[in-house]
Amino acid sequence: MAIAVVGSLGLDTIETPAGRAEEVLGGSAAYFALAARHFLPVSLVAVVGTDFPADARKQLEHPDVDLSGLEVQEGKTFRWEGVYSRDMNTRETRRTELNVFERFRPKLPDRLRAFSNVFLANIDPVLQREVLDQLKDPRLVLCDTMNYWIHGKREDLLAIMKRVRILLINEEEARELTGEALTHRAARAILELGPEAVVIKQGEHGAFLQRRDLYFTCPAVPIESVIDPTGAGDTFAGGFFGALARMGRVTDRTLRAAVVYGCVMASFTVEYFGVKGLLRVQRSEILRRADSVMEMTRFSLDDTARLLR
Amino acid sequence: MAIAVVGSLGLDTIETPAGRAEEVLGGSAAYFALAARHFLPVSLVAVVGTDFPADARKQLEHPDVDLSGLEVQEGKTFRWEGVYSRDMNTRETRRTELNVFERFRPKLPDRLRAFSNVFLANIDPVLQREVLDQLKDPRLVLCDTMNYWIHGKREDLLAIMKRVRILLINEEEARELTGEALTHRAARAILELGPEAVVIKQGEHGAFLQRRDLYFTCPAVPIESVIDPTGAGDTFAGGFFGALARMGRVTDRTLRAAVVYGCVMASFTVEYFGVKGLLRVQRSEILRRADSVMEMTRFSLDDTARLLR
């Protein structure tokens, strides 16, 4: 029942209108694992350099996070620096140092090759394929991607999409991938590329899921103050996949609930710099926020149906 | 039970990626009235010039639309020309000719002064105040506004907001009005300015409503092809106010349903140039789309609650 995630780990320097954080634990695998572990055990496959701080590693150490797939290579850890706009809807990358991540060739330990729940976080689709090729029983494989691969490795990405069950992608990237300006049309075009379902992440507007004739939308959880949006999408993926795998079946019903948990988990990440929000949160708070999404979206048409029909 | 709307009527020339329409019936009052009349009779207060085409007038003629408050003044009708971006999320105004609208001083016939349901569409807040001053029993007054008034007539607008029950405003304008980047914070700041509730229109992402501790979000109805977004916000207002007034009470429950009907009606407008979508639609289709919003948003937390609690 556990989930394996293959992705990046790094040290992020982040500037937002709310402040600045230097060299905090980041990377898609970190956010994913620390979100998903609230639902199921997670095994993390990633690489860091010998300079990876003990502090950062400590944040990943948790009974439900297996770090045996975490490689330490001679050299420096992946570093990223970004600055967010005033409304935090856009960001500018100031610096990307791939360092040891540049030579990352994920090799899964035998135990992990048997995993059927695998998340291919946003890494080179060539590496995503190499991971897929190592899996013995890839029943529930989800993947994420980004504009860099959409433009730079489109063919590799399209090949991956024929082999994954659900694609997670943000709204702008879905448009770039498909050339469709309308989100639901972009979603349908993606389903034609292979996945059984697609989740389009809409940032402050929540998320949209399509599977066959199911359309589902879920709003973001309103947060009193957004401190740092970094990792919100990877956190969404962790909450979504965690809840889905925990429920044990992929149906319209479980997909709807999984999207809600994706939005809920992302709301904890944006409240603090880095992964701090995910480290603090208790399960009772997760359930409470899921209830608040229900409260924010439920309505009845009984009154109007009576008046208008 | 009827609704009076005071707003603009004009002839729009619109260019979108889907095509071009010349001098079609437009204006906030047209879209509002043709949406709201599906729920309740509407009385329209507006001005046109002596050049207002019989065709355009014909589109407004409907058993449930009272045109006795439509003034015809010597001169030319208000004209607007705009061009939409490829994704239709932004538009550029090419030409605005106020013409007779420049001298518009709404004078309500006695019969309309007794209306308790009044929509002050997006016009100069000084005119909105003059309308309010003419009302004998303004129980349910809603208003809309735009960035032009937020910047140019802020004090007049703030005075209006103390006298209206619900403000409808689009997301970017809500941010400009309040200086708050987060939508729900902008909503709360607006409630502090006077209205009992606020609806923030989010275009393709639907709408957000706040009233006291109620937050409600509703997605836009996915449309196969968006032809022309002009008037979607005014149409939303017509559907929202129409449904709300038809239900006869302002409660959390009726507000939720009203937002759904606002989103539903807006979806008909964007399918055609001008008001054509609103002229074609049948009540059964309105009810069907409201059901589809329910289908797009409903979810159950029973599975996860059992697993996680």
Side-chain angles (χ1 to χ4, degrees):
Chain A
M1 278 249 297
I3 302 173
V5 52
V6 184
S8 60
L9 276 186
L11 299 170
D12 291 346
T13 296
I14 303 158
E15 216 174 286
T16 79
R20 183 178 162 92
E22 303 220 13
E23 303 236 321
V24 294
L25 172 65
S28 54
Y31 287 102
F32 181 92
L34 293 175
R37 61 108 181 162
H38 288 280
F39 301 86
L40 279 178
V42 184
S43 288
L44 188 151
V45 177
V47 65
V48 294
T50 39
D51 66 343
F52 192 60
D55 253 26
R57 190 184 172 101
K58 210 170 181 67
Q59 296 190 302
L60 291 169
E61 285 171 358
H62 184 279
D64 284 328
V65 180
D66 162 31
L67 297 177
S68 63
L70 173 55
E71 239 182 283
V72 182
Q73 279 192 14
E74 194 60 47
K76 287 181 75 180
T77 300
F78 173 63
R79 276 169 174 77
W80 175 80
E81 183 171 345
V83 185
Y84 285 84
S85 64
R86 199 185 77 85
D87 67 3
M88 299 207 207
N89 285 326
T90 56
R91 71 183 185 197
E92 193 196 314
T93 291
R94 263 197 195 150
R95 183 168 54 98
T96 305
E97 292 172 19
L98 293 176
N99 298 329
V100 297
F101 190 59
E102 193 163 11
R103 305 183 301 273
F104 183 44
R105 300 299 289 268
K107 261 171 239 77
L108 272 56
D110 256 0
R111 199 177 58 79
L112 292 190
R113 293 177 188 223
F115 271 48
S116 50
N117 300 328
V118 177
F119 185 61
L120 306 171
N122 165 31
I123 54 174
D124 187 334
V126 173
L127 301 187
Q128 291 180 325
R129 191 193 63 222
E130 290 180 12
V131 173
L132 272 171
D133 289 343
Q134 296 173 54
L135 298 174
K136 293 175 189 157
D137 181 25
R139 265 176 296 172
L140 188 55
V141 179
L142 277 57
C143 89
D144 197 348
T145 193
M146 70 183 292
N147 45 11
Y148 187 75
W149 311 120
I150 291 169
H151 299 297
K153 300 219 175 166
R154 190 179 174 85
E155 290 311 310
D156 297 297
L157 179 61
L158 293 177
I160 286 298
M161 287 179 57
K162 295 196 197 312
R163 300 173 64 186
V164 302
R165 196 128 169 229
I166 304 175
L167 175 72
L168 293 100
I169 188 167
N170 80 31
E171 195 160 43
E172 203 180 308
E173 287 158 3
R175 290 174 181 156
E176 288 180 30
L177 176 61
T178 61
E180 291 282 359
L182 296 173
T183 298
H184 60 284
R185 285 180 65 117
R188 198 172 51 201
I190 286 168
L191 296 192
E192 283 164 14
L193 299 174
E196 174 185 337
V198 57
V199 179
I200 296 184
K201 297 172 285 178
Q202 302 171 304
E204 59 168 343
H205 292 114
F208 176 90
L209 174 137
Q210 188 181 355
R211 180 208 196 202
R212 297 174 200 148
D213 56 357
L214 168 68
Y215 291 95
F216 178 67
T217 66
C218 179
V221 179
I223 291 303
E224 201 43 43
S225 49
V226 172
I227 299 298
D228 171 19
T230 310
D234 302 309
T235 305
F236 177 96
F240 174 80
F241 201 167
L244 189 65
R246 177 72 182 248
M247 289 183 279
R249 293 168 306 138
V250 177
T251 66
D252 286 0
R253 179 182 166 95
T254 58
L255 286 168
R256 288 173 190 263
V259 171
V260 173
Y261 283 100
C263 288
V264 164
M265 296 313 294
S267 74
F268 296 112
T269 285
V270 303
E271 289 183 302
Y272 296 91
F273 277 106
V275 298
K276 193 171 171 191
L278 290 176
L279 295 177
R280 296 168 52 107
V281 61
Q282 303 292 314
R283 182 169 287 182
S284 59
E285 181 65 5
I286 295 172
L287 294 166
R288 205 192 60 72
R289 286 206 184 166
D291 287 339
S292 81
V293 173
M294 177 73 84
E295 194 54 28
M296 271 182 67
T297 54
R298 68 175 180 77
F299 62 90
S300 163
L301 296 173
D302 295 352
D303 299 335
T304 47
R306 187 169 41 77
L307 292 165
L308 298 175
R309 267 182 226 273
Chain B
M1 277 249 298
I3 301 173
V5 52
V6 184
S8 60
L9 277 186
L11 298 171
D12 291 346
T13 296
I14 304 158
E15 216 174 287
T16 79
R20 182 178 162 92
E22 303 221 13
E23 304 236 320
V24 294
L25 172 65
S28 54
Y31 287 102
F32 181 92
L34 293 175
R37 62 107 182 162
H38 289 279
F39 301 86
L40 279 179
V42 184
S43 289
L44 188 151
V45 178
V47 66
V48 293
T50 38
D51 65 345
F52 193 61
D55 254 26
R57 189 183 172 102
K58 210 170 182 68
Q59 295 189 302
L60 291 169
E61 286 171 358
H62 184 279
D64 284 327
V65 180
D66 161 31
L67 297 177
S68 62
L70 173 54
E71 239 181 284
V72 182
Q73 278 192 15
E74 194 60 47
K76 288 181 73 180
T77 300
F78 173 63
R79 277 168 174 79
W80 175 81
E81 183 171 345
V83 185
Y84 285 84
S85 65
R86 199 185 76 84
D87 68 3
M88 300 207 207
N89 285 326
T90 55
R91 72 182 184 197
E92 193 196 314
T93 291
R94 263 196 195 151
R95 183 167 54 99
T96 305
E97 292 172 19
L98 293 176
N99 298 328
V100 297
F101 190 58
E102 194 164 10
R103 303 183 303 272
F104 183 44
R105 300 299 289 267
K107 261 170 240 76
L108 272 57
D110 255 1
R111 198 178 58 78
L112 293 188
R113 292 178 188 223
F115 271 48
S116 50
N117 300 329
V118 177
F119 185 62
L120 306 171
N122 165 30
I123 54 173
D124 187 334
V126 173
L127 300 187
Q128 292 179 325
R129 190 193 63 221
E130 290 180 10
V131 173
L132 272 171
D133 289 343
Q134 295 172 54
L135 299 174
K136 292 174 190 160
D137 181 24
R139 265 176 296 171
L140 187 55
V141 179
L142 277 57
C143 88
D144 197 348
T145 193
M146 69 182 293
N147 44 13
Y148 186 76
W149 311 120
I150 291 169
H151 298 297
K153 300 220 175 166
R154 191 178 173 84
E155 290 311 311
D156 297 297
L157 179 60
L158 292 177
I160 286 298
M161 287 179 58
K162 294 195 198 311
R163 300 174 64 186
V164 301
R165 197 130 169 225
I166 305 175
L167 176 72
L168 293 99
I169 189 166
N170 80 31
E171 195 160 42
E172 203 180 308
E173 287 158 2
R175 289 176 181 155
E176 289 180 30
L177 176 61
T178 62
E180 292 282 358
L182 296 172
T183 298
H184 59 285
R185 285 181 65 117
R188 198 173 51 201
I190 286 168
L191 296 192
E192 282 165 14
L193 298 174
E196 174 185 337
V198 58
V199 179
I200 296 184
K201 297 172 284 178
Q202 302 172 302
E204 59 169 342
H205 292 113
F208 176 90
L209 175 136
Q210 189 181 355
R211 180 208 197 203
R212 297 177 199 146
D213 56 356
L214 167 69
Y215 291 94
F216 177 67
T217 67
C218 179
V221 179
I223 291 303
E224 202 42 44
S225 49
V226 172
I227 299 299
D228 171 20
T230 310
D234 302 310
T235 304
F236 176 96
F240 174 80
F241 201 167
L244 189 65
R246 177 73 182 247
M247 289 182 278
R249 291 168 306 137
V250 177
T251 66
D252 285 1
R253 178 183 167 95
T254 57
L255 286 168
R256 288 173 190 263
V259 171
V260 173
Y261 283 100
C263 288
V264 164
M265 296 313 294
S267 74
F268 295 113
T269 285
V270 303
E271 289 184 302
Y272 296 90
F273 277 105
V275 299
K276 193 171 172 191
L278 290 176
L279 295 177
R280 296 168 52 107
V281 60
Q282 303 292 313
R283 182 170 287 182
S284 58
E285 181 65 6
I286 295 172
L287 293 166
R288 206 192 59 72
R289 287 207 183 164
D291 287 339
S292 81
V293 173
M294 177 75 84
E295 194 54 28
M296 272 182 66
T297 54
R298 68 175 178 78
F299 62 90
S300 163
L301 297 173
D302 295 352
D303 300 335
T304 47
R306 189 169 39 78
L307 292 165
L308 298 175
R309 266 183 228 271

